[in-house]
Structure formats: structure tokens, C-alpha cells
Amino acid sequence: MASGEAASGDTLSVIIPSWREGPRLLDAIGAARLALGAVEVVVAAREESAEVRDRARADGVVWVDCPEPNRGQQLALGASHASSPRLVFLHADSRLPVAAGALIHLALDASGVCGGAFRLRFDHRHPALDLLAFMSRVDLPTSFLGDQCMFCVRSAYEAAGGFRAYPLFEDVDLACRLSRVGRLVRVHESVTTSARRFLQRGPYRQLITNAVLMLAFHTGVSPRRLAQVYAPSSADRAASGAA
């Protein structure tokens, strides 16, 4: 049973993948610390400026330079540099609710729980986005996505095999494997994430694209092949968007 690995006062490690986020990354680090409390911040970065890197390091961030903008690979590398028994995976354009750290510890302290995620809201209102936000209440493993801030116990993460180097659906893949290790739970508070990718491509068009790609993924199509279909916005999501 992969639960109870840490007392609720222990430090979390939050892993933030980033690609060309610039000052937004520094904002994300500060916001994560405010929401999570005592937390180790690990940034898995690709093509960030030396100024951003140096400022983050000066602020105590564990900085990991990654060989390519592949979010699954970046998250795996970040997790390998984290030192805490409880891991939080946060996108650079997502913001956690107040007291998120306490909510994560409370969820992971429950018997049999190995991980979970928050509900979702967007920073822009639109019927398609509202539908996605509503769907984030579902507890099926396939509904636990990266932009909802996934979290888990390290032992369960390792037992599940960790993130695979997928450029797309790395979050769904891990959630499905975690669900075979222990129970996944949904925190009833919401993470607020950027709607920029949906607004760039059109909310309904992006919603349909995501649904088709998700279906293809579950029928066995390679995530790398799907990422090519997802382009040109794959550049955006490699660091911070959601599938």
C-alpha cells in the first residue's frame, strides 16, 4: 500500500517543467511556494535564459537542464533530482489554490491513496473551457491530467515506473499506471490554468483535437506520432499546456 509515507509536516518537492517561459517561470515558482508552504522547487528547463536560471538558483531552486523540450522526459529528470517523499507536478502556467500543500498532504494521508490531482478551471470563460473544467471532477484515471497538478507518493511513482519520455499524454500514461499501484483521489479545490493555447487555436477546435488524440492514444497510436499531429502548438504544450 503506497500511502502514509510522510507525515503531513514534511516537505513536498514540486517539479516544474519549463520551455522558454522566461519571467513567467519565476512567477510560477513564487506562486507555488505561497500555495504549498515548505517546498523544494525543482525546475526541469529547456532553453531558458541564463538570467532566469541564475535568479532561480539564487532563490534556492534545484535547476535541471534538459536535452530536449519533451515534457515527459523533463518531468522524469526533475523527479530524479527531487529529494522529498511526496512529489507534485506543476505546469508553469498553472496556479494552485490557497493552502494547496495542506490539501495534498491530507489527500495522501488517506489509507490506500497513492496520488491524485486538483479540479481544473481556466483563466478565461468559454463554454468549451467550462465543459473541460466540469469534466475534471471525474475520478477515472484517464481524467487525471497534468494541468490539474498531479501529485503522488514517491514509492508509488517509482513502482509505476515514473514518467515515460512521451511528448504527449505523459500525464494520462502515468495516472493509469499509478491507479494500479494505489488509489487516486480528486481534491475538490481547483487549479487555475492558462487558456492561451485554446484561445490561439479556437476553444472548440482544440477541444475536438484533444478528444481525437486521446482516443488515438488509447487505441495504441504512438505519443510521438500524435505530437506531430498536435503541432504547431506542441511547442506550447511541451512545457506548460495540457493534452
Side-chain angles (χ1 to χ4, degrees):
M1 183 181 298
S3 64
E5 200 174 274
S8 60
D10 284 356
T11 302
L12 299 164
S13 287
V14 57
I15 296 95
I16 305 176
S18 183
W19 184 27
R20 301 175 183 171
E21 288 290 341
R24 284 186 299 234
L25 173 59
L26 300 176
D27 292 342
I29 293 168
R33 282 180 166 149
L34 283 174
L36 293 170
V39 62
E40 174 189 56
V41 179
V42 181
V43 169
R46 176 63 180 172
E47 296 182 17
E48 294 294 352
S49 70
E51 178 185 1
V52 169
R53 179 198 62 208
D54 293 345
R55 287 177 61 185
R57 283 176 170 170
D59 197 29
V61 170
V62 178
W63 189 274
V64 183
D65 284 311
C66 299
E68 61 179 313
N70 175 308
R71 197 165 60 205
Q73 182 183 77
Q74 287 176 256
L75 288 166
L77 285 171
S80 72
H81 285 76
S83 63
S84 301
R86 293 181 170 187
L87 306 175
V88 181
F89 302 100
L90 179 67
H91 292 178
D93 63 352
S94 295
R95 296 295 179 266
L96 289 160
V98 174
L103 294 171
I104 290 171
H105 282 305
L106 183 64
L108 292 178
D109 284 342
S111 178
V113 172
C114 72
F118 290 78
R119 290 179 178 177
L120 178 68
R121 73 162 58 97
F122 289 92
D123 60 3
H124 181 88
R125 293 298 302 274
H126 185 280
L129 301 178
D130 292 345
L131 175 61
L132 285 174
F134 179 79
M135 290 171 62
S136 73
R137 297 167 178 259
V138 177
D139 286 342
L140 293 174
T142 53
S143 69
F144 286 82
L145 304 176
D147 57 5
Q148 299 163 11
C149 185
M150 291 173 60
F151 54 85
C152 64
V153 176
R154 177 187 290 277
S155 63
Y157 174 83
E158 293 174 348
F163 279 104
R164 292 170 173 155
Y166 288 172
L168 200 66
F169 296 120
E170 77 294 327
D171 44 9
V172 177
D173 174 66
L174 177 62
C176 289
R177 286 182 283 117
L178 281 173
S179 70
R180 295 193 285 270
V181 176
R183 186 162 59 95
L184 298 179
V185 296
R186 179 74 64 185
V187 177
H188 289 177
E189 299 295 325
S190 297
V191 169
T192 302
T193 197
S194 171
R196 60 183 178 178
R197 177 173 46 84
F198 283 88
L199 298 178
Q200 286 168 357
R201 301 193 71 182
Y204 287 120
R205 178 185 176 190
Q206 188 64 54
L207 177 63
I208 293 170
T209 298
N210 287 358
V212 171
L213 292 177
M214 178 77 81
L215 179 61
F217 173 72
H218 285 296
T219 59
V221 180
S222 163
R224 291 188 178 275
R225 182 177 178 186
L226 294 175
Q228 294 173 352
V229 176
Y230 199 90
S233 64
S234 57
D236 246 359
R237 79 159 313 277
S240 55

